[in-house]
Amino acid sequence: MQGKKILVTGGTGYIGSHTIIELITQGYSVVCVDNCINSDKSSLMSIHQITGVSVPFFQVDLCDSYETKKIFTAHPDISGVIHFAALKAVGESVEKPILYFRNNLDALINVLDLSIQNGVKAFIFSSSCTVYGEVLKSPVDENTPLQAAESPYGRTKQIGEQIIEDSVKNEMTQSILLRYFNPAGAHPSGLLGESPINQPQNLVPVITETAIGKRDTMTVFGNDYETKDGSCIRDYIHVCDLARAHILALSYIFNGRQKVPVEIFNVGIGNGLTVLEVIKAFEKESGLRLKYKVGPRRPGDVVAIYSDHAKASKELGWYPQYNVNDIMRTAWAWEQKRQQR
Ligand code: NAD
Ligand code: WQD
């Protein structure tokens, strides 16, 4: 795919920045847009350090259709769009649903509309396992019926998927909806990882922030679930494995292998781990004892969800290369690096 130009929205964020590295490594040319509401431009410096490439960057709020259009005018040869840009804090979305609907849906509609108008061939969308809602059993495959979303954030992903399905039906743009499970970990170089502006609430950064002393202790949300050790089960996927799935999704469309307007793929490693197992993996990799206590269940938590990713393996040729130990090792290396800074 030498030279094809890809617009990455939300590209200074966690998954976007790791995906840009993978795109550059695979010979794509990249344009990045982000309004830096939950990231900063330092990730572009890390991308430069790792790849030697300075990525053209637009600091634009994608809800602003006028400013967004200028990106497509400046780069009329964009062949693919990977749309990461969104707000993602589940709890905040419950408190501020309008903010989430406005930001996540307005931005999607603007980028999608301009992609279709400008003849973009491939539109890849960051969806989430959250669209499955309270599942009755795992693993979940792409045919598992969606339940009501647990939060306005989750609803923006369900509605986002529907908007795309309706909009590309009769267009030359084809789309892939990637339903991520629990992304975690950092780039193996130690130069890039998760550094959100908002305080992270996800398990892995909470663990590393506790270990480094940014938090006094952490809470395991419940140990009375019907699981092997009583804590919830999730499917943690290394961010670099996830990044690779986007490149394979682009190739799938560019090589003419996609026969329908929209395809959906689960991207998780398919291995359910409990919260306590993740903590043990951290302790093994870091050699530290983590300060944690067991607290009550977190409202809205699903007992267990993990993926069946057979479709992504069969169609895209995607197989995870990292495990939970790699996730914890790279996440911990990144936390220590941030501390030095
Ligand atoms: P992130 O917050 O690190 O990255 C998202 C980026 O989008 C941020 O840099 C933010 O500044 C930018 N952004 C938000 N609204 C914008 C707007 N209106 N205009 C321009 N830029 C805007 O989050 P992430 O973890 O990298 O997530 C990327 C995508 O993947 C999101 O769509 C998220 O919903 C989805 N997702 C994330 C997870 C996860 O656990 N990290 C899981 C499933 C799906
Ligand atoms: C994982 C497990 C917690 C923090 C969220 C979104 C989902 C998707 C992925 C975007 C759970 C437990 C956590 C802590 C804990 N994101 N935990 N103590 O809730 O599976 O999914 O991120 O689309 O939509 O909901 O991820 O990392 O918050 O939690 O015990 O301090 O860790 O209860 O069992 P979750 P998480």
Side-chain angles (χ1 to χ4, degrees):
M1 292 306 149
Q2 282 294 329
K4 271 196 193 305
K5 191 177 279 181
I6 309 300
L7 175 66
V8 179
T9 77
T12 55
Y14 174 45
I15 308 169
S17 56
H18 287 79
T19 303
I20 290 177
I21 290 175
E22 197 63 34
L23 284 165
I24 293 171
T25 309
Q26 296 300 321
Y28 285 100
S29 138
V30 176
V31 176
C32 172
V33 52
D34 203 300
N35 65 352
C36 297
I37 196 169
N38 194 35
S39 58
D40 66 58
K41 284 181 262 181
S42 64
S43 52
L44 295 173
M45 288 180 334
S46 303
I47 290 169
H48 183 261
Q49 270 183 291
I50 294 166
T51 65
V53 173
S54 294
V55 174
F57 176 61
F58 292 80
Q59 184 155 355
V60 163
D61 182 347
L62 295 162
C63 297
D64 181 337
S65 59
Y66 181 75
E67 289 299 319
T68 305
K69 190 173 180 179
K70 286 187 188 167
I71 304 169
F72 284 84
T73 306
H75 295 277
D77 53 342
I78 291 169
S79 314
V81 170
I82 309 183
H83 183 58
F84 291 104
L87 294 171
K88 64 166 183 178
V90 175
E92 185 185 52
S93 81
V94 175
E95 286 160 30
K96 302 175 185 168
I98 296 292
L99 173 71
Y100 273 66
F101 288 125
R102 193 164 272 153
N103 188 73
N104 292 3
L105 299 180
D106 280 2
L108 168 64
I109 290 167
N110 286 337
V111 177
L112 182 61
D113 187 14
L114 286 159
S115 299
I116 292 170
Q117 281 180 41
N118 286 276
V120 166
K121 180 72 188 135
F123 189 92
I124 314 299
F125 178 63
S126 298
S127 190
S128 166
C129 64
T130 196
V131 299
Y132 292 112
E134 175 86 55
V135 291
L136 299 175
K137 66 176 179 60
S138 275
V140 286
D141 68 19
E142 294 80 356
N143 295 318
T144 302
L146 307 189
Q147 308 293 327
E150 297 283 328
S151 68
Y153 165 75
R155 213 178 292 281
T156 69
K157 293 297 177 190
Q158 291 182 338
I159 298 170
E161 289 194 354
Q162 290 164 0
I163 289 173
I164 294 168
E165 289 190 358
D166 284 343
S167 306
V168 303
K169 211 178 272 170
N170 302 311
E171 304 292 343
M172 68 159 281
T173 304
Q174 289 181 300
S175 182
I176 289 183
L177 316 176
L178 295 179
R179 292 180 178 161
Y180 314 157
F181 280 68
N182 289 60
H187 195 266
S189 64
L191 297 170
L192 182 65
E194 190 168 9
S195 21
I197 306 283
N198 300 327
Q199 198 184 45
Q201 307 297 333
N202 291 118
L203 179 63
V204 174
V206 167
I207 289 175
T208 57
E209 286 195 359
T210 307
I212 206 97
K214 284 185 195 164
R215 299 170 191 243
D216 293 337
T217 180
M218 65 162 285
T219 304
V220 171
F221 298 137
N223 67 350
D224 56 353
Y225 289 97
E226 282 195 17
T227 61
K228 56 183 145 178
D229 59 25
S231 62
C232 288
I233 292 176
R234 296 288 183 275
D235 183 342
Y236 298 90
I237 170 174
H238 195 282
V239 66
C240 293
D241 275 334
L242 181 54
R244 243 175 345 96
H246 295 79
I247 281 69
L248 293 167
L250 285 173
S251 306
Y252 191 70
I253 294 179
F254 289 148
N255 292 336
R257 300 206 319 273
Q258 181 157 317
K259 304 299 176 207
V260 291
V262 180
E263 281 281 12
I264 301 174
F265 295 100
N266 281 344
V267 200
I269 71 169
N271 182 22
L273 291 174
T274 67
V275 175
L276 294 171
E277 284 173 330
V278 175
I279 290 176
K280 276 196 200 101
F282 172 78
E283 291 182 331
K284 178 168 159 269
E285 287 300 320
S286 66
L288 300 171
R289 280 305 281 267
L290 190 72
K291 282 192 226 156
Y292 68 87
K293 57 182 190 302
V294 175
R297 294 179 177 195
R298 183 172 67 176
D301 262 341
V302 177
V303 184
I305 180 165
Y306 53 97
S307 67
D308 175 337
H309 65 247
K311 186 178 172 195
S313 297
K314 181 165 176 273
E315 300 292 334
L316 302 179
W318 178 83
Y319 296 90
Q321 294 175 353
Y322 295 92
N323 62 25
V324 68
N325 299 323
D326 303 317
I327 288 175
M328 300 319 295
R329 188 177 60 258
T330 54
W332 180 229
W334 173 242
E335 191 68 72
Q336 290 171 289
K337 179 93 177 178
R338 290 178 78 200
Q339 176 85 342
Q340 286 164 16
R341 282 183 185 174

